[in-house]
Amino acid sequence: MKLGVFSYNTEYGIRPDTLARALEERGFESLWVGEHTHIPAERKTPYPGGGDLPRPYYHMADPFVSLMAAASATKDLRIGTAVSLIPQHDPIVLAKTIGTLDYLSGGRFILGIGGGWNAEECEDHGVAFKDRWKVLRERVQAMKELWTNEEASFHGEFVNFDRAISFPKPVQSPHPRILFGGATENGRKRVVEYCDGWFPIDILLDDLPPAIADLKEKAKAAGRDPESIEVDIFAFDVRDPDILKRYRDMGIERVVIYSPRAEEKVMPWLDNLAPQIAAVA
């Protein structure tokens, strides 16, 4: 099992290139950053975690620019979005951005995706919140066409273009792995339909083994090989090393652990966590 680290990636926290170097030096597999283009100043949507929206959500840097900085500072470290809010992006532009990032990083990018929880943020991008899942699906499918064809066309309810030529193509074939971040049963349906893996947050799942079994059953019913769909986990608290071992024994391929928000706490935290890499490999 591989261990990665999630950073809130704020301008007042640790820089992504600094963190990336520290991760690679200690043997971690990957660095992940989130995405919020902005937070509407007048917002009715409640924070899913309860209470006030934490400060980092207002300060997240652009994930793709940040991951390019991380890739430039390392040789082998994987880089990923956790998660990119696809309904907030033009698919032609995002396909170009991801193709470029994968090319310049030497094929190290992983695309974690989600629809977002903030209705006002989504609607500021011209997407009705109720339509976000349909928009996400079409934009992912359209990007796949752009990544895998010399000339791509796509015609859907929300995305339409004819004979588009887009380079550079991603280094990874046919494209970077796409991981869906939703923890619900509907999320698992979306994984099976158009993604390569499932990437839920651990605290949103009451019982992980039945959820994994459900994912595999859905894959079989759709004619997909269940073993081709990776299962990764976001983990908030792994101070107990047995938690990581339990995830490994469940067949989890990667655990991504939330790093401390305060920059001065990050390096000691990494030093304490690094011995677990060998313990769960």
Side-chain angles (χ1 to χ4, degrees), residues 111-165:
L111 177 61
I113 65 171
W117 56 266
N118 190 329
E120 289 82 6
E121 179 183 356
C122 182
E123 290 170 358
D124 281 350
H125 289 275
V127 174
F129 192 62
K130 65 179 179 63
D131 292 332
R132 69 194 187 283
W133 299 119
K134 293 186 290 184
V135 171
L136 183 150
R137 176 180 176 273
E138 284 195 9
R139 291 184 178 177
V140 167
Q141 291 174 327
M143 289 193 297
K144 288 181 179 180
E145 294 296 315
L146 290 161
W147 289 329
T148 58
N149 293 289
E150 291 286 319
E151 287 190 3
S153 298
F154 191 90
H155 300 287
E157 182 180 355
F158 300 97
V159 180
N160 280 282
F161 56 84
D162 273 318
R163 300 191 63 191
I165 300 171

Side-chain angles (χ1 to χ4, degrees), residues 14-281:
I14 189 168
R15 288 174 55 98
D17 49 351
T18 301
L19 178 56
R21 279 191 293 268
L23 292 174
E24 188 161 84
E25 288 167 358
R26 289 162 177 79
F28 288 91
E29 182 255 355
S30 52
L31 168 63
W32 301 77
V33 298
E35 178 174 46
H36 282 280
T37 58
H38 68 298
I39 298 295
E42 294 187 9
R43 175 175 54 86
K44 295 180 181 179
T45 308
Y47 171 51
D52 293 335
L53 185 65
R55 183 187 179 206
Y57 285 79
Y58 297 91
H59 290 264
M60 288 185 184
D62 181 273
F64 302 101
V65 175
S66 301
L67 292 175
M68 188 64 252
S72 295
T74 54
K75 293 182 179 180
D76 300 309
L77 190 77
R78 302 298 300 272
I79 51 174
T81 51
V83 293
S84 178
L85 303 179
I86 302 300
Q88 299 183 15
H89 290 276
D90 177 287
I92 298 174
V93 175
L94 187 57
K96 171 76 76 173
T97 297
I98 291 171
T100 302
L101 177 56
D102 199 57
Y103 159 64
L104 292 176
S105 68
R108 289 187 275 153
F109 178 66
I110 307 166
L111 177 61
I113 65 171
W117 56 266
N118 190 329
E120 289 82 6
E121 179 183 356
C122 182
E123 290 170 358
D124 281 350
H125 289 275
V127 174
F129 192 62
K130 65 179 179 63
D131 292 332
R132 69 194 187 283
W133 299 119
K134 293 186 290 184
V135 171
L136 183 150
R137 176 180 176 273
E138 284 195 9
R139 291 184 178 177
V140 167
Q141 291 174 327
M143 289 193 297
K144 288 181 179 180
E145 294 296 315
L146 290 161
W147 289 329
T148 58
N149 293 289
E150 291 286 319
E151 287 190 3
S153 298
F154 191 90
H155 300 287
E157 182 180 355
F158 300 97
V159 180
N160 280 282
F161 56 84
D162 273 318
R163 300 191 63 191
I165 300 171
S166 179
F167 285 88
K169 304 297 185 187
V171 171
Q172 298 175 83
S173 180
H175 49 70
R177 290 186 70 78
I178 301 171
L179 311 180
F180 188 85
T184 65
E185 181 181 359
N186 282 335
R188 294 190 289 275
K189 291 178 182 177
R190 296 179 183 112
V191 171
V192 169
E193 184 180 2
Y194 53 84
C195 296
D196 304 300
W198 186 40
F199 202 12
I201 299 173
D202 59 353
I203 60 173
L204 298 181
L205 288 163
D206 293 329
D207 200 347
L208 184 57
I212 295 174
D214 176 67
L215 176 68
K216 292 181 181 296
E217 286 302 316
K218 284 177 168 51
K220 289 179 183 177
R224 290 190 63 178
D225 176 7
E227 299 306 314
S228 70
I229 300 177
E230 69 179 80
V231 179
D232 301 341
I233 286 290
F234 278 121
F236 270 92
D237 186 356
V238 293
R239 284 174 291 184
D240 178 359
D242 288 340
I243 294 174
L244 290 175
K245 291 176 182 177
R246 287 198 294 272
Y247 285 148
R248 179 198 60 193
D249 294 343
M250 288 179 200
I252 302 299
E253 294 191 35
R254 176 188 293 111
V255 175
V256 175
I257 306 162
Y258 282 73
S259 70
R261 299 178 189 176
E263 182 173 4
E264 65 274 12
K265 295 182 179 180
V266 173
M267 295 303 177
W269 177 80
L270 290 178
D271 288 336
N272 287 331
L273 183 61
Q276 295 302 320
I277 298 171
V280 298

